[in-house]
């Protein structure tokens, strides 16, 4: 997997940070507090969950209240790019996983993608920092070797720490020579109590005597019980012997007889093999005789079969000639069809000739040029000729239409010219109307003067009062608005909202300007002069009205209106007449163009008709049809020529086929035929007969070869069987079969005895008697008497045991009474309590001891299974890092440490190495663990300033090693500028305090 993009919503000091297009070896460089640790913790948090409140890890919750969490875009080899987003939610955050196909999931899907890897294991294997190297500096002696071993197995020192913790607990509970451990103290207390208990017991009268008596009884019970068991075992042996003595005796006799029959050797299943070989040899001899007879007969039959070799050699040519017969018939049919088609073509040519009626023969028609260009010209001329005829008709109709319209408009113009007034008369009437217009103007002016006089007289004072009232109301409204704007300005000053303040100030200024203008008194009803001037004007206008003569103005105005209408109509008709004249001229010009185009087309038509030998009277109307008929004539003529040529070829092909068949008929048939079907039948029949002879001959020859092959094989088998029989007799060291059979009978007896002995041994396998017991029992003849004796002894021992157990119970009861009497009982209780506490402590110690043992076994299993592969890769890395000075890492024979081998074969324990070399061993083990044991988890390897103590050469080597790890993405965090030259500039991302730039 490869992290391609980091998007931090809010995590620690980082807010809304996007880092894109991370490379396979990505370097994050920044000073302290630039965000390196925050980015590493963010990656761990998104993949495995945010630390809970109860956790000791830093949670990196943003202080400024921004969104807590973010997302990673990760490329998985199996599915593509998936987005993992985790934000504030439940304990470890709410996670959403989005796959490339749009599928979404939660923590379950994320665990599947990560292969159920947990945070602790990831940090131990794929994320290492300077703390691991610092631990190396602080360790000495055997601790360093154990730490490196733990690192090479788990990735951390947890194995070493667990082992040390178990050892510490065990030592705190018990040490063989210790005093302070808990179990040691309990043992010492029990010993002290035991002494006190014995002292208290001695103070009781007769207690010691009872104790000795009890011990004596216990001793006698043990001895009696032991004797009883001995007698019982002897009796059991006798009972068992009674069951198996007949089998043992038979086994001894069978073994002796087998030893007697061991002085000769005989082949395994010898008689069976000999009989089998004899059974095979006799049929072989009979089969050989039969095969010889059959071979002789087949050779005679082969000599009697003879076939024509030359005829069969020419079989392919004969068959090829015969296969031409259907083709010959097809050619005949084709010839008939072509002859009928020639008749049709002659009729078609005759019909075309009648339509064209040209004074030309067939050859001359075929020589007429009818190529594509000529056809195109004929089609164009014909289409143009047709179009010209249609255009001429349209022009005739248009000409007549435009001519009629023009004549109508000319008549209307003459009529309109007669209806208009002469110019002198019209001017006279217009002058009279102008005078009347001046009178109307004076009347209107007089009326206006009279209205003004009346207005000044009746309503001047009243209107002034209304205007004053309206102005006062406007001033009140504007003052109210100004007060509101003042409040708004004050609010803007208090809340530091300067926009509100600016709006309020501007509004107040505008209201102030408006009020200052409206406070000035206005009089909208003042006139240019006093009312006396209006009166004078009124008198003057009245005198002018008296000077006008009264006349019939309405009649004059009506005449002028009608004349104006006629003049407008004349003007409109004149315009239409001009337009119509233009249209008429256009039609005339189109006629001229048509005549020119028609003349050109006529010339081209005559030229084409001459080239095509078509008369002019036909070309004028039917040029295209005549051209098409000529094409059809030429097409039919060419087809006629082709048919004649094909008929000629057909005759030649038929003649060749017939001649070929006649040749074979004369050569191979006894009575040659002329008819082709008979020739074909006879030749095919002869081929069939000859092939039958060949097949029979081949079959006979094949059978002969098979029989000869079988004869050779049978003779070989016969020879082999005879040799095997001789070999079998030699193995038994005899020459005659009778002696072989006699020896075989003895071998069969020996085999039966061996088998019987095996059966007996199977039955004796489960007996409890030993071999020496059996040898001893074979010497005994009175087993029943001895068994009776053993039963009596067992009864006596059992009675004595019952008596002793009653005595022991009585003594124990007396001791119990004495122990319950005082201090002794209290001491005894404490003693038993301490013994119980000791058992519990021992149990707990055993648990830890067992855990230590299981851990040791697990480590041993790991050492034998997985560790060799890890060490092989670690040795490769160490060899490279140390510049070929150290090349092997060996396991300690005991314990969990390592021995490092130098190139001169000198071995060093971990504590004997320099600090830098020990660090190189640590780095080799960590990287080897990641790329071998956990190779299926291709997680990014996160390195946090782990090589700051290396010198220049060691640093260069470790950087080259990291660069070569192409299976895992490397995220390298550093605050040291001297490391940057080891990387490509495009792979370095610079972190700055307070900000993180996005990688482009």
């Amino acid at each position: 997997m490869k992290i391609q993009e980091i998007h931090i919503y809010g995590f620690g000091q980082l807010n809304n940070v996007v880092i894109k297009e991370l490379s396979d070896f990505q370097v994050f460089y920044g000073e302290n507090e630039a965000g390196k640790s925050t980015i590493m913790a963010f990656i761990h948090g998104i993949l495995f969950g945010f630390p809970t409140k109860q956790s000791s890890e830093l949670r990196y919750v943003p202080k400024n209240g921004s969104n807590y969490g973010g997302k990673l875009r990760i490329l998985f080899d199996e599915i593509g790019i998936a987005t993992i987003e985790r934000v504030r939610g439940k304990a470890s955050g709410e996670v959403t996983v989005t796959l490339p196909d749009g599928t979404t999931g939660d923590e379950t899907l994320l665990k599947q993608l990560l292969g159920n890897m947990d945070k602790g294991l990831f940090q131990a294997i794929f994320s290492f920092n300077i703390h691991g190297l610092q631990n190396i500096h602080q360790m000495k002696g055997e601790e360093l070797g154990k730490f490196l071993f733990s690192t090479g197995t788990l990735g951390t020192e947890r194995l070493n720490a667990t082992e040390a913790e178990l050892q510490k607990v065990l030592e705190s509970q018990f040490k063989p020579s210790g005093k302070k451990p808990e179990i040691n103290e309990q043992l010492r207390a029990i010993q002290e109590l035991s002494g006190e208990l014995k002292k208290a017991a001695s103070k009781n009268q007769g207690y010691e005597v009872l104790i000795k008596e009890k011990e004596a009884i216990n001793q006698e019970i043990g001895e009696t019980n032991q004797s009883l068991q001995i007698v019982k075992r002897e009796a059991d042996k006798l009972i068992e012997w009674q069951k198996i003595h007949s089998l043992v005796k038979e086994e001894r006799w069978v073994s002796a007889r087998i030893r007697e029959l061991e002085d000769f050797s005989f082949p395994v299943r010898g008689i069976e093999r000999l009989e089998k070989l004899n059974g095979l040899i006799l049929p072989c001899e009979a089969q050989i005789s039969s095969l010889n007879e059959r071979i002789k007969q087949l050779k005679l039959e082969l000599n009697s079969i003879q076939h024509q070799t030359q005829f069969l050699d020419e079989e392919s040519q004969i068959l090829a000639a015969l296969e031409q017969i259907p083709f010959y018939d097809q050619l005949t049919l084709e010839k008939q069809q072509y002859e009928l088609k020639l008749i049709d073509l002659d009729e078609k040519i005759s019909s075309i000739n009648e339509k064209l009626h040209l004074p030309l023969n067939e050859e001359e028609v075929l020589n007429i040029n009818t190529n594509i260009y000529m056809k195109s010209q004929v089609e164009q001329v014909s289409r143009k000729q047709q179009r010209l005829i249609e255009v001429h008709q349209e022009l005739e109709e248009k000409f007549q239409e435009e001519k009629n319209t023009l004549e109508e408009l000319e008549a209307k113009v003459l009529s309109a010219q007669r209806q208009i007034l002469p110019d002198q008369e019209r001017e006279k009437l217009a002058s009279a109307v102008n005078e009347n217009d001046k009178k109307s103007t004076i009347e209107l002016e007089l009326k206006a003067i009279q209205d003004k006089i009346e207005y000044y007289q009746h309503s001047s004072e009243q209107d002034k009062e209304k205007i004053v009232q309206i102005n006062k109301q406007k001033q009140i409204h504007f003052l109210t608005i100004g007060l509101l704007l003042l409040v708004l300005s004050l609010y803007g000053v208090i809340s530091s909202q300067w926009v509100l303040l600016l709006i309020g100030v501007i509004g107040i200024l505008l209201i102030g300007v408006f009020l200052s203008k409206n406070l000035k008194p206005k009089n909208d009803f003042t006139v240019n002069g006093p009312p006396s001037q209006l009166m004078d004007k009124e008198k003057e206008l009245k005198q002018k009205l008296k000077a006008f003569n009264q006349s019939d103005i309405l009649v004059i105005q009506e005449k002028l209106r009608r004349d104006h209408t006629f003049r407008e109509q004349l003007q409109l008709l004149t315009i239409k007449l001009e337009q119509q004249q233009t249209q008429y001229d256009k039609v005339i010009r189109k006629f001229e163009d048509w005549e020119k185009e028609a003349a050109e087309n006529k010339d081209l038509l005559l030229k084409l008709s001459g080239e095509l030998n078509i008369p002019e009277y036909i070309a004028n109307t039917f040029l295209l049809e005549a051209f098409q008929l000529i094409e059809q004539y030429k097409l039919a003529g060419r087809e006629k020529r082709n048919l004649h040529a094909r008929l000629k070829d057909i005759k030649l092909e038929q003649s060749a086929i017939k001649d070929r068949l006649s040749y074979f008929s004369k050569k191979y048939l006894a009575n040659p035929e002329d008819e082709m079907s008979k020739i074909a039948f006879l030749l095919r029949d002869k081929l069939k007969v000859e092939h039958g002879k060949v097949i029979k001959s081949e079959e006979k020859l094949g059978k002969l070869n098979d029989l000869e092959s079988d004869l050779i094989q049978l003779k070989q088998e016969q020879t082999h069987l005879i040799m095997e029989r001789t070999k079998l007799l030699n193995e038994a060291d005899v020459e005659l079969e009778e002696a072989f059979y006699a020896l075989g009978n003895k071998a069969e007896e020996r085999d039966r005895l061996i088998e019987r002995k095996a059966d007996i041994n199977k039955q004796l396998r489960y007996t409890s008697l030993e071999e020496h017991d059996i040898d001893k029992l074979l010497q005994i003849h009175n087993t029943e008497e001895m068994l009776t004796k053993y039963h009596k002894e067992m009864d006596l021992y059992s009675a004595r045991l019952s008596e002793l157990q009653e005595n022991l119970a009585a003594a124990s009861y007396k001791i119990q009474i004495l122990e319950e009497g005082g201090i002794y009982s209290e001491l005894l209780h404490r003693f038993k309590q301490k013994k119980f506490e000791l058992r519990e402590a021992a149990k707990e110690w055993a648990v830890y001891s067992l855990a230590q043992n299981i851990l040791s076994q697990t480590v041993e299993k790991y050492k034998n299974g997985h560790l060799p592969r890890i060490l092989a890769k670690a040795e490769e890395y160490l060899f490279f890092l140390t510049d070929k000075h150290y090349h092997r890492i060996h396991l300690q024979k005991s314990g969990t440490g390592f021995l490092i081998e130098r190139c001169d074969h000198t071995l060093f324990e971990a504590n004997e190495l320099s600090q830098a070399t020990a660090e190189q061993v640590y780095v080799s083990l960590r990287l080897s663990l990641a790329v071998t044991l956990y190779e299926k988890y291709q997680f990014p390897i996160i390195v946090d300033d782990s090589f700051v103590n290396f010198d220049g050469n060691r640093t260069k080597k470790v950087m080259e090693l990291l660069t070569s790890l192409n299976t895992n993405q490397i995220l390298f965090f550093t605050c040291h500028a001297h490391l940057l030259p080891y990387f490509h500039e495009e792979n370095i991302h610079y972190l700055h305090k307070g900000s993180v730039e996005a990688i482009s």
Side-chain angles (χ1 to χ4, degrees):
M1 57 177 283
K2 175 186 175 184
I3 300 176
Q4 291 195 328
E5 181 179 320
I6 300 173
H7 188 175
I8 303 175
Y9 303 155
F11 200 80
Q13 64 175 337
L14 304 179
N15 295 304
N16 195 24
V17 172
V18 180
I19 306 176
K20 297 181 178 179
E21 298 181 8
L22 275 70
S23 62
D24 292 337
F25 196 117
Q26 185 62 52
V27 181
F28 294 89
Y29 169 74
E31 300 177 354
N32 295 330
E33 300 183 2
K36 300 188 299 297
S37 300
T38 305
I39 294 175
M40 284 189 287
F42 173 78
I43 294 173
H44 294 153
I46 296 297
L47 293 177
F48 304 103
F50 300 140
T52 60
K53 293 181 179 179
Q54 293 76 23
S55 175
S56 60
E57 297 182 52
L58 291 176
R59 301 185 66 235
Y60 290 95
V61 179
K63 301 296 184 182
N64 57 5
S66 61
N67 290 334
Y68 180 41
K71 65 182 179 181
L72 296 174
R73 293 182 76 247
I74 302 177
L75 174 62
F76 292 92
D77 294 336
E78 298 84 3
I79 62 171
I81 297 177
T83 301
I84 303 171
E85 182 182 37
R86 191 182 294 270
V87 296
R88 191 195 306 269
K90 55 185 181 181
S92 60
E94 292 286 345
V95 66
T96 302
V97 181
T98 305
L99 301 182
D101 60 359
T103 304
T104 59
D106 53 7
E107 200 80 46
T108 303
L109 180 57
L110 178 58
K111 286 183 179 180
Q112 292 177 1
L113 291 177
L114 300 180
N116 292 317
M117 173 73 68
D118 62 12
K119 185 176 182 179
L121 188 58
F122 175 79
Q123 290 177 330
I125 304 301
F126 299 98
S127 178
F128 60 96
N129 51 31
I130 197 172
H131 301 301
L133 299 180
Q134 288 176 345
N135 289 337
I136 291 177
H137 300 162
Q138 297 167 3
M139 293 182 180
K140 295 181 180 179
E142 186 181 351
E143 292 182 359
L144 181 58
K146 291 182 177 181
F147 170 78
L148 290 175
F149 180 82
S150 178
T151 300
T153 54
L154 298 178
T156 66
E157 67 276 11
R158 283 192 295 177
L159 180 63
N160 186 29
T162 303
E163 186 179 8
E165 185 177 351
L166 287 173
Q167 186 63 33
K168 184 178 179 182
V169 172
L170 289 172
E171 290 179 354
S172 68
Q173 291 183 345
F174 175 73
K175 282 185 177 181
S177 60
K179 294 182 179 180
K180 292 184 179 181
E182 181 181 351
I183 294 177
N184 293 86
E185 291 180 353
Q186 289 177 348
L187 286 172
R188 190 169 62 253
I190 287 173
Q191 289 175 354
E192 292 174 355
L193 282 173
S194 178
E196 293 178 3
L197 186 64
K198 288 179 180 178
K199 290 179 182 178
S202 64
K203 294 179 182 179
N204 291 321
Q205 236 178 11
Y207 183 77
E208 291 287 342
V209 176
L210 289 171
I211 291 295
K212 290 179 181 179
E213 184 181 349
K214 182 180 179 181
E215 291 176 354
I217 292 171
N218 281 327
Q219 183 177 359
E220 188 177 355
I221 287 173
E223 291 173 354
T224 303
N225 193 27
Q226 184 177 2
S227 298
L228 176 62
Q229 295 299 323
I230 291 170
V231 173
K232 188 176 181 182
R233 281 198 297 272
E234 293 298 325
D236 291 340
K237 288 179 181 179
L238 281 174
I239 293 170
E240 180 69 18
W241 173 249
Q242 285 179 339
K243 295 178 182 178
I244 67 170
H245 74 281
S246 60
L247 290 174
V248 171
K249 290 177 181 179
E250 183 181 0
E251 191 273 335
R252 295 294 172 94
W253 180 84
V254 167
S255 298
R257 181 60 181 161
I258 289 172
R259 285 194 294 273
E260 293 175 2
L261 296 174
E262 284 181 349
D263 57 348
F264 71 92
S265 62
F266 189 77
V268 178
R269 296 185 295 107
I271 293 175
E272 179 185 347
R273 288 162 62 189
L274 180 62
E275 291 176 348
K276 187 175 181 181
L277 288 171
N278 287 332
L280 293 173
I281 290 170
L282 291 175
C284 273
E285 292 174 351
Q287 288 179 12
I288 289 170
S289 176
S290 174
L291 286 174
N292 285 325
E293 192 66 30
R294 289 172 64 188
I295 289 169
K296 182 179 179 181
Q297 184 64 30
L298 277 174
K299 287 180 178 179
L300 293 174
E301 291 176 358
L302 272 173
N303 292 331
S304 65
I305 299 172
Q306 293 182 353
H307 56 272
Q308 293 184 5
T309 306
Q310 185 179 2
F311 180 71
L312 290 175
D313 291 341
E314 292 184 350
E315 179 184 4
S316 58
Q317 300 175 16
I318 294 169
L319 289 175
L322 292 173
E323 286 174 357
Q324 294 295 316
I325 293 175
F327 181 60
Y328 183 91
D329 297 336
Q330 183 180 352
L331 290 173
T332 303
L333 181 60
E334 188 178 353
K335 178 181 176 184
Q336 294 171 356
Q337 291 175 350
Y338 288 161
E339 288 172 348
L340 291 174
K341 202 166 185 180
L342 277 173
I343 295 170
D344 293 339
L345 286 174
D346 288 335
E347 292 177 357
K348 185 177 181 181
I349 290 171
S350 178
S351 175
I352 293 171
N353 223 349
E354 289 176 359
K355 291 179 182 179
L356 283 173
H357 199 63
L358 295 177
L360 301 173
N361 56 32
E362 185 176 331
E363 190 66 29
E364 290 174 337
V365 174
L366 292 174
N367 291 329
I368 293 174
N369 182 11
T370 56
N371 59 21
I372 296 173
Y373 178 71
M374 177 63 73
K375 184 177 181 180
S376 174
Q377 284 187 314
V378 168
E379 289 175 349
Q380 290 177 7
V381 168
S382 299
R383 285 197 299 270
K384 195 168 185 179
Q385 182 73 8
Q386 184 64 30
R387 186 176 61 80
L388 286 171
I389 293 170
E390 293 173 357
V391 169
H392 185 267
Q393 293 175 354
E394 292 176 0
L395 287 175
E396 286 287 349
E397 294 173 0
K398 189 71 173 174
F399 172 76
Q400 194 61 40
E401 182 183 346
E402 296 297 337
K403 181 180 178 183
N404 294 335
T405 304
L406 183 61
E407 291 175 351
E408 289 176 3
L409 286 174
E410 287 175 347
K412 288 180 180 180
V413 169
L414 291 173
S415 175
Q417 287 176 349
R418 296 191 191 98
Q419 291 177 356
I420 62 174
L421 295 172
D423 294 339
Q424 294 178 355
E425 185 179 353
R426 178 177 173 79
E427 289 177 1
K428 186 176 180 182
L429 294 173
S431 176
V433 171
N434 287 335
E435 289 294 332
N436 186 63
D437 289 340
K438 288 181 181 179
K439 180 182 178 183
S440 299
T441 303
I442 292 171
E443 287 176 350
L444 291 172
E445 189 178 354
L446 177 61
K447 184 71 171 64
I449 293 295
Q450 290 174 347
D451 289 340
K452 284 184 180 181
I453 292 171
E454 184 179 359
Y455 176 77
Y456 272 105
Q457 289 176 351
H458 295 93
S459 61
S460 181
E461 293 299 329
Q462 185 178 359
D463 290 340
K464 285 183 179 179
E465 290 177 1
K466 288 182 180 179
I467 289 171
V468 170
Q469 259 182 350
I470 291 169
N471 287 336
K472 286 182 179 180
Q473 289 177 357
K474 287 182 178 179
Q475 289 174 2
I476 292 169
H477 290 161
F478 281 112
L479 287 172
T480 304
I481 294 170
L483 183 61
L484 292 173
L485 290 171
L486 180 61
V487 173
L488 182 65
S489 301
L490 292 174
Y491 177 74
V493 172
I494 294 169
S495 62
S496 300
Q497 296 187 24
W498 309 116
V499 177
L500 295 178
L501 175 62
L502 182 62
I503 292 170
V505 171
I506 293 172
I508 290 170
L509 291 174
L510 291 174
I511 289 172
V513 172
F514 182 79
L515 289 175
S516 63
K517 291 183 178 179
N518 281 275
L519 288 174
K520 297 178 182 180
K522 293 184 179 179
N523 190 356
D524 293 331
F525 294 90
T526 57
V527 296
N528 293 331
S532 59
Q533 294 176 348
L534 291 175
M535 298 297 291
D536 294 340
K537 186 67 174 175
E538 183 184 10
K539 291 178 181 180
E540 182 182 349
L541 292 173
K542 285 180 179 180
Q543 290 176 357
K544 287 183 178 180
L545 282 175
K546 291 178 180 179
F548 285 102
N549 293 324
Q550 298 295 327
S551 59
D552 194 359
I553 297 301
L554 294 176
V555 176
I556 295 171
Q557 288 177 344
E558 180 63 23
K559 286 183 178 181
L560 288 173
R561 187 186 62 76
R562 288 176 62 193
D563 184 65
H564 182 69
T565 301
F566 289 141
R567 286 180 180 272
E568 287 179 349
Q569 290 178 354
L570 177 60
Q571 186 178 3
L572 181 60
L573 289 171
T574 303
I575 293 170
K576 287 183 177 180
L577 182 61
E578 292 175 355
Q579 292 176 348
Q580 187 60 35
Q581 185 65 44
T582 303
Q583 290 294 110
Y584 182 77
D585 294 339
K586 284 183 180 179
V587 173
I588 298 298
R589 284 197 297 273
K590 285 183 180 179
F591 258 115
E592 294 173 353
D593 295 339
W594 177 86
E595 290 173 352
K596 182 178 179 182
E597 190 174 357
E600 292 176 353
N601 195 61
K602 180 75 171 178
D603 294 340
L604 184 57
L605 187 143
L606 293 174
K607 179 183 176 184
L608 293 174
S609 65
E611 292 180 4
L612 294 171
N613 293 320
I614 299 173
E616 184 178 349
Y617 68 91
I618 296 177
N620 286 331
T621 309
F622 304 106
L623 178 64
L624 182 58
E625 290 79 355
F627 180 83
Q628 291 172 348
L629 288 172
I630 291 172
E631 279 189 320
Q632 293 175 13
Y633 190 107
K634 290 179 68 175
L635 184 63
R638 290 195 194 94
E639 191 173 357
K640 183 179 176 181
R641 284 185 178 181
N642 293 335
L643 287 175
H644 281 298
R646 180 57 184 155
L647 285 170
K648 185 178 180 181
D649 293 339
I650 287 172
K651 289 178 181 178
L652 292 174
E653 290 175 1
Q654 286 182 326
S655 176
I657 293 170
K658 194 171 184 180
D659 293 343
R660 189 68 174 162
L661 285 171
S662 298
Y663 167 75
F664 289 119
S665 173
K666 293 175 182 177
K667 186 174 181 180
Y668 294 112
L669 295 180
N671 298 314
E673 297 286 343
D674 293 331
E675 190 176 345
M676 292 182 61
S677 58
K678 289 183 178 180
I679 294 172
F681 173 76
L682 293 173
L683 286 173
R684 289 183 188 278
D685 186 61
K686 188 172 180 64
L687 280 171
K688 186 177 180 181
V689 171
E690 293 300 322
H691 274 295
K693 291 179 180 180
V694 171
I695 291 170
K696 285 181 181 179
S697 177
E698 288 177 351
E699 288 178 353
K700 301 284 184 186
L701 186 60
K703 287 181 180 179
L704 179 63
N705 292 333
D706 291 340
L707 291 174
E708 289 176 346
S709 177
D710 292 343
L711 180 62
I712 293 170
Q713 185 175 356
L714 280 172
K715 286 182 177 179
Q716 290 176 349
E717 289 179 3
Q718 183 187 31
T719 304
H720 176 72
L721 290 171
I722 293 171
M723 290 175 64
E724 286 293 322
R725 184 175 63 182
T726 305
K727 183 179 178 182
L728 191 61
L729 294 174
N730 292 336
E731 286 181 9
D733 197 19
V734 296
E735 295 180 358
L736 301 176
E737 291 186 10
E738 291 78 6
F740 186 86
Y741 280 114
L743 200 61
N745 293 330
K746 287 184 179 181
E748 287 180 358
E749 181 185 0
R750 184 177 61 188
D751 292 340
R752 284 196 303 272
L753 291 173
I754 291 171
E755 186 177 352
R756 177 57 183 162
K757 182 179 179 180
D759 292 338
I760 294 170
N761 289 332
K762 285 181 182 178
Q763 297 179 47
L764 295 175
R765 183 184 303 169
Y766 302 103
T767 184
S768 59
L769 297 177
E770 300 292 336
E771 187 67 28
H772 64 276
D773 293 330
I774 294 174
D775 293 338
K776 188 187 295 183
L777 290 169
L778 281 171
Q779 308 300 323
I780 299 174
H781 302 288
N782 53 348
T783 55
E784 291 294 336
E785 294 177 2
M786 291 190 70
L787 192 61
T788 303
K789 178 184 175 184
Y790 286 147
H791 283 150
K792 289 180 180 179
E793 289 179 1
M794 288 168 60
D795 292 340
L796 291 174
Y797 285 132
S798 297
R800 181 59 182 165
L801 275 175
S802 299
E803 183 182 352
L804 289 172
Q805 286 173 351
E806 290 177 359
N807 295 336
L808 179 63
S812 298
Y813 177 72
K814 292 177 182 178
I815 290 170
Q816 183 180 0
I817 292 173
L818 289 174
E819 288 176 347
E820 291 176 353
I823 297 173
Y824 180 79
S825 62
E826 183 180 349
L827 288 172
L828 182 62
H829 174 73
R830 287 172 57 194
F831 178 74
K832 290 182 178 179
Q833 179 67 29
K834 286 293 184 181
K835 285 180 71 177
F836 174 77
E837 292 176 357
L838 177 63
R839 281 197 301 271
E840 294 299 315
K843 286 180 182 178
E844 184 178 356
W845 180 85
V847 169
Y848 284 105
S849 178
L850 181 61
Q852 187 184 42
N853 186 39
I854 291 172
L855 180 62
S856 300
Q857 290 179 1
T858 304
V859 169
E860 191 66 27
K861 184 178 179 182
Y862 181 85
K863 285 168 62 177
N864 297 330
H866 301 292
L867 197 58
R869 188 160 61 99
I870 297 173
L871 289 182
K873 181 59 71 173
E875 288 171 352
E876 179 185 336
Y877 291 161
L878 182 64
F879 185 66
F880 177 79
L881 290 175
T882 60
D883 207 7
K884 304 181 181 180
H885 287 95
Y886 295 88
H887 66 108
R888 296 295 303 275
I889 302 175
H890 302 279
L891 281 171
Q892 292 274 26
K893 293 183 179 179
S894 61
T896 55
F898 288 128
L899 292 176
I900 314 302
E901 182 180 346
R902 203 165 60 189
C903 289
D904 59 359
H905 305 294
T906 305
L907 297 176
F908 298 91
E909 292 189 358
N911 61 307
E912 295 175 336
L913 298 171
S914 66
Q915 290 183 352
T917 306
E919 289 180 7
Q920 289 174 324
V921 174
Y922 171 78
V923 171
S924 300
L925 290 170
R926 284 296 301 271
L927 294 178
S928 174
L929 186 66
V931 300
T932 56
L933 189 58
Y934 296 92
E935 59 186 343
K936 68 175 183 177
Y937 300 100
Q938 294 185 357
F939 289 100
I941 296 176
I942 301 175
V943 183
D944 181 18
D945 262 347
S946 298
F947 318 119
V948 295
N949 296 322
F950 285 0
D951 57 26
N953 185 49
R954 284 188 171 96
T955 302
K956 179 182 177 182
K957 286 291 184 181
V958 77
M959 293 306 169
E960 291 177 358
L961 178 60
L962 288 176
T963 306
S964 67
L965 299 178
N966 50 16
T967 56
N968 298 76
Q969 184 185 27
I970 308 294
L971 303 180
F972 188 83
F973 295 83
T974 183
C975 62
H976 298 279
H978 69 276
L979 298 179
L980 299 184
Y982 294 106
F983 313 109
H984 297 292
E985 185 64 27
E986 61 269 17
N987 294 342
I988 303 174
H989 180 68
Y990 295 91
L991 306 175
H992 304 286
K993 290 185 179 180
S995 67
V996 176
E997 299 174 356
I999 296 178
S1000 58

